[in-house]
């Protein structure tokens, strides 16, 4: 897992810079800058809306005495998606929007849930309960 993360950290900025240069040559640098700012503003608005909705779901589950597992996964996806949207670049913005939009986030949550169960079963991670 650490190897993939290291590879992502090394390759992602190079890919982002290459795409930004290519897009700047294609449509002009000012349009690229405007698009980066627009995706940041739209992403911040979407992260706020989705985050507030997730907090509401967590509060509702807590008031019913239920574990807010699904809402917590939503919150984690929204947090990571917001972080990707803060990073300038088209690839990171795409990943960020995929994590923020509920219909595209749903399949990823299933994969994350399976990964957590797999790592828990292998004793790679431990979940403590009171």
């Amino acid at each position: 897992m650490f190897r993939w993360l290291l590879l992502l950290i090394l390759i992602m900025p190079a890919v982002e810079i290459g795409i930004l240069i290519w897009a700047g040559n294609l449509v002009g640098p000012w349009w690229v800058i405007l698009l980066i700012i627009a995706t940041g503003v739209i992403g911040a608005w979407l992260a706020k809306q989705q985050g507030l909705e997730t907090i509401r779901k967590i509060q509702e589950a807590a008031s019913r005495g239920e574990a807010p597992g699904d809402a917590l996964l939503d919150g984690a996806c929204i947090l990571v998606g917001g972080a990707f949207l803060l990073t300038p670049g088209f690839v990171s913005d795409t990943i960020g929007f995929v994590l923020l939009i509920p219909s595209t986030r749903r399949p990823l949550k299933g994969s994350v849930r399976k990964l957590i169960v797999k790592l828990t079963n292998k004793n790679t991670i431990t979940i403590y309960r009171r």
Side-chain angles (χ1 to χ4, degrees):
M1 178 100 169
F2 179 72
R3 291 179 187 164
W4 289 106
L5 185 61
L6 182 63
L7 189 62
L8 182 71
I9 290 171
L10 293 174
I11 291 177
M12 185 81 155
V15 170
E16 292 283 15
I17 291 170
I19 292 174
L20 286 171
I21 291 171
W22 174 78
N25 287 332
L26 189 66
V27 297
W30 292 110
W31 285 108
V32 171
I33 292 170
L34 183 66
L35 189 57
I36 289 171
I37 292 170
T39 58
V41 170
I42 293 168
W45 176 81
L46 187 58
K48 178 183 175 186
Q49 297 301 320
Q50 291 299 308
L52 291 173
E53 177 71 18
T54 300
I55 290 170
R56 186 188 61 74
K57 287 179 183 178
I58 290 171
Q59 289 173 338
E60 285 177 0
S63 70
R64 290 189 308 262
E66 299 173 356
D70 197 47
L72 290 177
L73 276 177
D74 276 330
C77 288
I78 291 166
L79 179 67
V80 172
F84 270 108
L85 282 167
L86 289 176
T87 306
F90 296 121
V91 175
S92 60
D93 285 348
T94 302
I95 294 169
F97 280 119
V98 165
L99 289 170
L100 284 178
I101 298 171
S103 60
T104 57
R105 181 174 61 227
R106 195 169 298 117
L108 292 175
K109 284 189 335 187
S111 299
V112 170
R113 187 178 292 114
K114 287 178 185 176
L115 177 66
I116 290 171
V117 168
K118 179 182 172 185
L119 293 174
T120 304
N121 290 338
K122 290 172 55 177
N123 289 328
T124 306
I125 61 171
T126 306
I127 299 174
Y128 293 101
R129 296 181 185 171
R130 292 184 187 194

